Amino acid sequence: MADVAAPPRPGSALRRAIPVLGFTQMAAWGTTYYLPAIFKTQFSNDLGLSEPAVFAGVAVTLIVSALIAWPVGRLMDEQGAGRLMPVGSACLAAGLATLAFAQGPIAYFLAWTFFGFGMALCMSNAAFSALTQMAGQEARRSIVILMLFGGMASTVFWPLTLWLDGQVGWRSTCLIYAGMHILICLPLHGIFLASGTTRSARQDLQQEERPGLIPPERRGLAAVLITIVFSCSGFVSWGLDLHLITILGDFGLGAAAAVWVASLKGPATLAARLADITLAGRVTPMQSAMIAGSLTPLGLVLALVLGSGMASAVIFIVVYSLGTGLITVARATLPLLLIGSKGYATTLGRLTLPTQMIYAVSPMTFGLMMERVGSSGVLLVALFASLVSLWAMLHLMRMTGTTAA
């Protein structure tokens, strides 16, 4: 009688999942959230939208995603994140197709509504949950590795989108990206992820689940502090990133140079996350988050102090991006560290609702500020928000008994 094949080990599924998720996450972010940075003028002229209205599309996506994040998180914990991610790819494709044929504001905002469903079902939280369901409490390293790919989304897709726009126009570019999600990302999610995150595949991890650092009776205060850290840091990164090219133009850079310097955000983010992996044995996740919380305001101060010019622009982008790259890791890994792996998707869903509402208004808020107070005023507001995030992080470190070094 032939031997029955043993089921694949979680480690094997994890090794296959990381490059798959790396590509699909980079594609998801690069073809949705980062589009207005390149297409804001086209959206405005062709669809009759003001610049703040263009960035309000991102707000719609974040609000929709936030509103369904908690029930989607529960469903992922029950059914497996990988089983829902192909549906998310289909939603992103539907949004891009709708955008390609849009003739006015209604279709434009409908497209961003589709993106909101796609974000909840197949972007960051879903990907992190899939890895956690495969690796349990040991998923932190895998999440950071995944973020090495995600951090390159702007570096790959800003120049690619700019080039495609010049070759075929923005509408055909959106159709090309829609096809990529249907023909590549959706099958990848279905083939490589669904089986690795089912209930049966997760049963072996249940005995390994460990509680987080925060005891149940103190989680209320911890949740408030985490929400402040994530909300304020995210208010800066979600809002400012979409205006980096415009801000760099105010540094005296031409359009092509501004895109090139802004694209350094990807390598800087990649370097920050590589450092996080390399120093994982010597720097705790809390200490890494504290470093992130310090680098972001430092970069903003440098932008305000150094003035215009290519060198100043590069220094600002690199230091700022090192900080935002690390704080993005913290948003995914701190809940795992502080609360534990059990019900991780649900935990992320609960945190998503308040924080993502802040993220939702951020791009539009920064857009309005760009019109009224200019780049310097925007940088000052971002600096204040990043300092509030740093203050909350200091309190969270004291609460967990973590030292700064």
Side-chain angles (χ1 to χ4, degrees):
M1 182 176 177
D3 293 336
V4 177
R9 295 179 301 171
S12 175
L14 191 65
R15 286 192 295 272
R16 293 194 301 269
I18 290 174
V20 167
L21 284 171
F23 173 78
T24 61
Q25 291 299 290
M26 185 166 56
W29 286 102
T31 62
T32 58
Y33 170 73
Y34 286 113
L35 282 184
I38 301 296
F39 287 157
K40 66 178 181 180
T41 301
Q42 292 90 324
F43 290 160
S44 180
N45 293 340
D46 294 351
L47 303 180
L49 298 166
S50 65
E51 185 170 318
V54 169
F55 290 102
V58 179
V60 170
T61 289
L62 292 170
I63 290 170
V64 170
S65 176
L67 290 175
I68 66 173
W70 192 345
V72 166
R74 286 204 308 267
L75 191 60
M76 286 181 175
D77 280 328
E78 293 171 0
Q79 303 296 327
R83 298 182 66 178
L84 299 181
M85 294 185 75
V87 181
S89 294
C91 289
L92 296 182
L96 285 160
T98 301
L99 191 57
F101 293 104
Q103 297 299 320
I106 293 177
Y108 179 77
F109 289 113
L110 177 61
W112 287 94
T113 301
F114 278 122
F115 292 160
F117 283 96
M119 178 176 284
L121 289 165
C122 74
M123 291 168 72
S124 295
N125 284 3
F128 303 150
S129 297
L131 293 177
T132 301
Q133 289 168 359
M134 293 179 184
Q137 194 74 16
E138 304 305 317
R140 178 177 181 268
R141 179 180 175 84
S142 299
I143 289 172
V144 179
I145 293 173
L146 176 60
M147 287 183 169
L148 297 179
F149 292 91
M152 297 300 291
S154 61
T155 300
V156 172
F157 279 91
W158 271 343
L160 177 60
T161 301
L162 189 66
W163 180 79
L164 283 172
D165 180 42
Q167 299 298 310
V168 300
W170 72 268
R171 293 182 185 275
S172 294
T173 299
C174 289
L175 283 177
I176 291 170
Y177 287 160
M180 180 175 63
H181 285 291
I182 288 293
L183 299 176
I184 301 176
C185 298
L186 189 155
L188 286 175
H189 285 152
I191 293 170
F192 288 99
L193 299 179
S195 62
T197 62
T198 59
R199 184 186 301 274
S200 60
R202 302 194 309 271
Q203 285 177 346
D204 291 340
L205 292 174
Q206 291 178 353
Q207 295 179 347
E208 301 175 13
E209 288 177 342
R210 298 192 297 271
L213 295 179
I214 303 294
E217 65 273 12
R218 304 191 70 190
R219 287 182 181 173
L221 176 58
V224 171
L225 292 171
I226 292 172
T227 300
I228 292 173
V229 171
F230 292 176
S231 296
C232 291
S233 63
F235 175 75
V236 174
S237 61
W238 282 84
L240 196 63
D241 282 9
L242 291 178
H243 299 280
L244 285 177
I245 294 173
T246 302
I247 291 172
L248 291 172
D250 291 341
F251 272 74
L253 276 61
V259 170
W260 179 82
V261 175
S263 296
L264 293 176
K265 179 179 181 296
T269 299
L270 178 67
R273 292 168 184 172
L274 281 172
D276 187 272
I277 294 173
T278 303
L279 300 175
R282 288 172 283 176
V283 178
T284 69
M286 286 294 298
Q287 291 170 337
S288 177
M290 184 65 192
I291 294 169
S294 303
L295 283 173
T296 303
L298 175 60
L300 294 167
V301 168
L302 289 173
L304 290 164
V305 170
L306 293 179
S308 61
M310 176 67 77
S312 299
V314 170
I315 292 171
F316 156 55
I317 287 295
V318 169
V319 177
Y320 165 79
S321 300
L322 288 172
T324 57
L326 283 176
I327 201 66
T328 306
V329 174
R331 289 180 203 146
T333 59
L334 280 186
L336 183 63
L337 173 75
L338 301 177
I339 298 174
S341 60
K342 186 176 182 179
Y344 175 77
T346 303
T347 297
L348 285 185
R350 287 173 177 169
L351 289 172
T352 292
L353 182 58
T355 56
Q356 207 146 287
M357 288 298 182
I358 300 294
Y359 305 165
V361 301
S362 177
M364 187 168 53
T365 301
F366 275 88
L368 290 169
M369 288 191 296
M370 285 294 295
E371 289 184 346
R372 293 176 180 166
V373 298
S375 294
S376 295
V378 164
L379 292 172
L380 282 171
V381 172
L383 176 59
F384 174 77
S386 65
L387 290 174
V388 173
S389 175
L390 182 60
W391 168 83
M393 179 60 69
L394 285 168
H395 281 271
L396 195 58
M397 288 187 72
R398 294 192 189 100
M399 186 177 179
T400 58
T402 306
T403 59

